[in-house]
């Protein structure tokens, strides 16, 4: 797939996702809650997770109605996690996506409630009335997202992260933390896209699982690299905050050259997993793997 073809595809998908999020995230939630929810989700972000859902679904000729809802649901979970992670009781950050964090803009109480409401809305999107998304598919999508967001996934990884400040971690321990904190939701994005298909072979599903796991880890490695090589304007969030908070990262553990080499190796592993899937339509997933490793924010 050429760069121009991928750019055209991603631009089309992003318009669809933005329109759906704008329609589904309510502006009329009471007492200003809707304003905080929309501020947290709209008008910013790479939308990598929705693109992974949509590309994976296309690779298995999935249900487009289910895929769009899954794409938006996973982005809502991601957005809620950022709202909560930025709060003073967690990472205490003031900048996200190039603008003040939700708790800075709306206060801590409303930010907490906005995150709670976004999490609930994600599962509401996955369980629509009508026949567009079969009940069994709804249940599977909910299961995949809940597991990725909970104690075995994102929340568990954040707990390890908070408990690891100032403590040395081995590479195995660091990988385990990031497989939960960052990788689980990225892998779930691929899994959810695959779950939108009705006839995916076990071999293809396993290969897509491997792809999602590798991409999840690669994303975090690159995040650690950018934390020390990019500035806050490029990142849209506070640069250098991991080092300032004495958090273990791939750069602090391996050094910058080795971390960069690891990111490249993970990209190659992702390409290999797609080759092993036997699926004919994985070019967009391959381009997304390259995007993860080559990104500048």
């Amino acid at each position: 797939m050429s760069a121009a073809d991928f750019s055209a595809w991603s631009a089309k998908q992003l318009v669809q996702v933005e329109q759906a999020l704008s329609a589904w995230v309510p502006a009329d939630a009471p007492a200003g809650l809707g304003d905080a929810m929309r501020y947290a989700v709209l008008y910013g972000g790479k939308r990598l997770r929705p693109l992974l859902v949509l590309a994976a679904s296309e690779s298995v000729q999935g249900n487009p109605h289910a895929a769009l809802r899954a794409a938006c649901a996973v982005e809502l979970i991601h957005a809620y996690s950022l709202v909560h992670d930025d709060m003073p009781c967690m990472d205490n950050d003031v900048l996200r996506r190039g603008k003040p964090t939700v708790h800075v803009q709306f206060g801590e109480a409303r930010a907490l409630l906005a995150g709670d409401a976004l999490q609930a809305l994600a599962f509401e999107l996955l369980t629509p009335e009508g026949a567009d998304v079969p009940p069994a598919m709804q249940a599977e999508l909910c299961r995949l997202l809940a597991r990725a967001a909970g104690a075995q996934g994102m929340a568990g990884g954040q707990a390890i992260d908070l408990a690891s400040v100032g403590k040395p971690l081995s590479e195995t321990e660091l990988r385990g933390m990031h497989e939960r904190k960052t990788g689980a939701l990225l892998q779930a994005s691929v899994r959810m896209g695959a779950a939108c298909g009705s006839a995916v072979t076990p071999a293809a599903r396993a290969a897509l699982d491997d792809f999602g796991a590798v991409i999840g880890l690669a994303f975090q490695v690159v995040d650690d690299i950018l934390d020390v090589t990019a500035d806050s304007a490029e990142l849209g969030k506070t640069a250098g905050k991991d080092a300032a908070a004495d958090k273990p990262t791939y750069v602090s553990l391996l050094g910058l050259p080795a971390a960069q080499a690891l990111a490249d190796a993970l990209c190659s592993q992702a390409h290999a997993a797609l080759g092993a899937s036997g699926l004919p339509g994985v070019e967009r997933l391959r381009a997304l793997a390259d995007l993860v490793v080559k990104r500048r924010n």
Side-chain angles (χ1 to χ4, degrees), residues 211 214-215 266-276 282 285-287 289-290:
F211 169 82
V214 171
I215 284 302
L266 290 168
C267 188
S268 296
Q269 290 177 35
H271 286 187
L274 292 176
V282 296
L285 288 172
R286 184 174 289 110
D290 293 337

Side-chain angles (χ1 to χ4, degrees), residues 60-183:
V60 298
Q61 300 179 319
N63 178 328
H65 302 289
L68 180 59
R69 286 179 171 275
C72 291
V74 77
E75 187 67 12
L76 293 181
I77 292 292
H78 176 55
Y80 120 74
S81 75
L82 298 181
V83 174
H84 284 188
D85 288 359
D86 287 336
M87 291 182 68
C89 61
M90 297 278 229
D91 292 346
N92 194 23
D93 216 334
V94 299
L95 185 67
R96 174 70 67 178
R97 293 175 171 173
K99 58 186 182 182
T101 49
V102 177
H103 73 272
V104 170
Q105 190 76 8
F106 294 94
E108 290 181 39
R110 200 182 304 177
L112 180 66
L113 290 172
D116 291 344
L118 290 171
Q119 183 185 42
L121 180 59
F123 293 98
E124 184 179 346
L125 292 187
L126 293 177
T127 52
E129 296 179 356
D132 285 343
V133 185
M137 188 175 290
Q138 293 184 24
E140 176 67 1
L141 291 171
C142 286
R143 184 187 71 82
L144 290 170
L145 187 56
R147 184 170 180 82
Q152 298 304 313
M154 185 176 65
Q158 178 70 357
I160 297 171
D161 187 30
L162 292 171
S164 300
V165 173
K167 297 180 180 178
L169 295 182
S170 68
E171 185 174 356
T172 299
E173 291 170 329
L174 186 64
R175 179 180 290 242
M177 176 178 77
H178 287 313
E179 283 175 347
R180 291 174 174 83
K181 181 183 175 184
T182 305

Side-chain angles (χ1 to χ4, degrees), residues 13-25:
Q13 305 310 311
L14 289 172
V15 168
Q16 181 181 215
V17 168
E18 292 304 316
Q19 290 175 342
L21 286 171
S22 185
W24 284 332
V25 179

Side-chain angles (χ1 to χ4, degrees), residues 12 16 29 43 45 82 123 131 178 190 198 219 223 227 234 253 289:
K12 180 180 178 181
Q16 181 181 215
Y43 322 119
L82 298 181
F123 293 98
H178 287 313
V190 179
S198 58
F219 185 93
D223 228 36
D227 192 60
E234 286 180 294
L253 181 66

